[in-house]
Amino acid sequence: MLLKLWAKKEAFLRSTTGATAIEYGLIAAGIAVAISAVVFTFGDNLANLFSNMADKVGGAAASE
């Protein structure tokens, strides 16, 4: 009985089936934090940039 329990414990410790999912989760969380930091830092500048580009594209389309 004790030998079976010991063997199950060793098999559990050697198992890596959930490691990949955890790693991908950590990578996704890191990317989300990086995107949030960039948007927080440059959000107003990006909004102005896209607004100016939309105005120029709209002006170019109206002049044709």
Side-chain angles (χ1 to χ4, degrees), residues 36-49:
S36 298
V38 168
V39 169
F40 180 75
T41 303
F42 300 112
D44 292 334
N45 293 339
L46 287 174
N48 290 336
L49 174 70

Side-chain angles (χ1 to χ4, degrees), residues 3-58:
L3 189 57
K4 265 187 174 178
L5 188 61
W6 187 264
K8 284 190 178 195
K9 179 197 76 102
E10 290 297 319
F12 176 75
L13 291 177
R14 279 186 263 136
S15 174
T16 59
T17 54
T20 303
I22 292 171
E23 290 167 357
Y24 282 131
L26 290 173
I27 290 169
I31 291 171
V33 168
I35 289 172
S36 298
V38 168
V39 169
F40 180 75
T41 303
F42 300 112
D44 292 334
N45 293 339
L46 287 174
N48 290 336
L49 174 70
F50 285 118
S51 177
N52 290 339
M53 288 176 20
D55 291 342
K56 289 180 182 178
V57 169

